[in-house]
Amino acid sequence: MKSIPTTGFKTAFEEDVYKGLTSHPKYLLSKYIYDEKGDKLFQQIMDMPEYYLTNCELGILQEYTAPIAKSFNAAGGFDLIELGAGDGKKTKVLLEHLNEQNYDFSYLPVDISEHVLKVLEASVRKEIPGIDIKPQQGTYFKTLESLADFSKRKKVILVLGSNIGNLLHENAIEFLRNIQQAMAPEDMLFMGFDQKKNPQKILDAYNDPHGITEAFNKNLLVRINYELGGEFNPDTFKHWETYDPETGTAKSFLVSKLDQEVFIEAFNLKVHFDAWESIHTEISQKYDEKVVEWLAGEAGLKIETRFADSEDCYRNYIFRKK
Ligand code: AVI
């Protein structure tokens, strides 16, 4: 395999794909799954019965709406800042309650995608009229930085969906530390963590019989084809999931079913795959209490409260600054 980038890289996507496919072992970053098609596939994943995370978290938010809302409240009202709001299905459970009970709050969903924010804003305004919604377009950290001085009110930062699980521990600590640095002493962080459980249940969630997770994973190849002039045939790759119950790490791979060379125009490069060679594409970390406590502690946070679903598959934690 020859590494011949003709010029400098035009985008971070281009550079990261180049690095990942010229490494040994090969990898691609899961954040690039989420283009318009990837977003839609993820919506479908969240609606699958096998993807228990959605219903577990929804169950927690429905069962503990009142105490959660109460813990958010503060004398001067509060700003509810959600990082990565998506379609807001779960958040709306909280928003409806907060609205009905006349809590004094503003809802600030943060997302990189203007489109996602527009759709979310329209649906929140329609379903829960009267809510003070102020969408914030941008990366999490740039937005958090600017929100640190946005108002004098208490900030409640919401991160649902166990999104932190897509980060290696080292990066998860950095993520939490960035949030911690934007927090004032009275602020709080409300975050979902998928828990260690029967390994079969985890494998089933990431290896569904409908092939939706496979299409989601392979969207990386489809996107390389579209955006970088790649010539991947996704059918020649197998979606493969592993789960290590000791570390709690679920890993997704794409495995080449044959010895092949794939041309990528943007790099003027043929990438060689041995038969059964893998591309690592995603981690979905599962947690236990000790690990959550350790990650939080390393980031200068402490656990204040936790809420679990009836089977203890999933937990939402409230963190404060240490
Ligand atoms: C967004 N993230 C938390 C999902 C997860 O569970 O890791 C993405 C996903 N990958 C496969 N299915 C869902």
Side-chain angles (χ1 to χ4, degrees):
M1 182 172 52
K2 285 264 174 307
S3 39
I4 334 160
T6 42
T7 54
F9 297 105
K10 290 196 201 89
T11 59
F13 176 56
E14 205 174 294
E15 182 167 0
D16 289 338
V17 168
Y18 181 83
K19 281 190 186 150
L21 292 182
T22 54
S23 286
H24 187 77
K26 295 181 172 65
Y27 67 89
L28 290 167
L29 301 179
S30 63
K31 65 178 177 182
Y32 294 120
I33 299 175
Y34 301 89
D35 61 358
E36 217 176 303
K37 186 167 169 230
D39 285 346
K40 281 199 188 120
L41 287 164
F42 184 52
Q43 281 301 325
Q44 290 176 33
I45 287 176
M46 287 194 293
D47 289 339
M48 301 185 312
E50 293 84 2
Y51 194 69
Y52 60 84
L53 287 82
T54 314
N55 284 336
C56 289
E57 190 166 49
L58 192 61
I60 293 172
L61 297 176
Q62 283 165 339
E63 189 171 347
Y64 300 104
T65 326
I68 292 170
K70 226 176 188 175
S71 73
F72 288 0
N73 201 21
F78 62 96
D79 290 326
L80 183 61
I81 302 168
E82 181 166 24
L83 306 184
D87 68 351
K89 181 177 165 190
K90 288 174 284 188
T91 318
K92 282 175 190 163
V93 174
L94 289 175
L95 295 179
E96 267 161 22
H97 178 86
L98 292 167
N99 195 45
E100 269 165 30
Q101 301 295 314
N102 289 316
Y103 279 95
D104 175 13
F105 78 106
S106 302
Y107 174 49
L108 290 82
V110 179
D111 207 288
I112 190 90
S113 157
E114 191 79 54
H115 174 73
V116 164
L117 287 173
K118 284 231 161 72
V119 174
L120 176 67
E121 183 178 10
S123 77
V124 169
R125 286 197 190 283
K126 189 166 163 227
E127 291 166 41
I128 321 170
I131 276 218
D132 181 27
I133 173 169
K134 299 185 173 105
Q136 309 289 317
Q137 194 267 328
T139 63
Y140 293 171
F141 299 122
K142 288 246 160 66
T143 316
L144 270 176
E145 262 173 34
S146 63
L147 288 176
D149 311 310
F150 170 76
S151 79
K152 297 268 167 292
R153 303 216 286 186
K154 174 184 179 183
K155 286 191 290 299
V156 178
I157 299 157
L158 204 61
V159 190
L160 300 181
S162 201
N163 285 341
I164 192 168
N166 295 131
L167 302 175
L168 294 167
H169 286 327
E170 196 188 318
N171 300 335
I173 291 168
E174 200 188 321
F175 177 57
L176 290 169
R177 198 176 289 132
N178 278 323
I179 295 177
Q180 190 263 12
Q181 279 162 2
M183 287 167 73
E186 70 278 14
D187 294 345
M188 58 194 248
L189 169 64
F190 184 88
M191 197 182 252
F193 287 77
D194 194 19
Q195 300 290 301
K196 286 182 175 174
K197 58 183 63 64
N198 183 334
Q200 193 58 56
K201 189 170 168 125
I202 294 171
L203 285 176
D204 292 347
Y206 292 90
N207 203 7
D208 67 273
H210 328 283
I212 302 171
T213 312
E214 177 180 349
F216 175 78
N217 196 9
K218 288 185 177 177
N219 194 46
L220 281 165
L221 307 183
V222 174
R223 192 168 171 190
I224 293 172
N225 285 352
Y226 267 121
E227 294 187 25
L228 304 179
E231 294 181 359
F232 278 103
N233 175 358
D235 293 341
T236 61
F237 286 82
K238 191 172 174 60
H239 167 70
W240 192 253
E241 191 69 25
T242 65
Y243 175 65
D244 178 347
E246 187 175 62
T247 59
T249 309
K251 283 188 181 179
S252 303
F253 297 91
L254 291 168
V255 185
S256 177
K257 294 184 202 167
L258 36 103
D259 187 284
Q260 58 177 320
E261 297 216 308
V262 178
F263 181 66
I264 301 177
E265 197 185 355
F267 313 134
N268 189 26
L269 173 74
K270 275 184 184 161
V271 182
H272 181 261
F273 291 89
D274 291 331
W276 307 117
E277 185 178 348
S278 61
I279 312 173
H280 174 224
T281 53
E282 189 180 47
I283 75 154
S284 299
Q285 183 65 37
K286 310 304 164 196
Y287 300 91
D288 56 33
E289 188 78 8
K290 275 205 183 94
V291 173
V292 174
E293 216 175 288
W294 169 69
L295 293 173
E298 291 292 300
L301 293 165
K302 59 173 189 278
I303 298 173
E304 186 177 87
T305 322
R306 66 198 55 63
F307 302 92
D309 64 298
S310 54
E311 289 175 41
D312 205 8
C313 275
Y314 193 96
R315 292 187 187 181
N316 286 95
Y317 290 83
I318 291 178
F319 300 100
R320 296 252 187 203
K321 265 182 121 137
K322 269 209 266 197

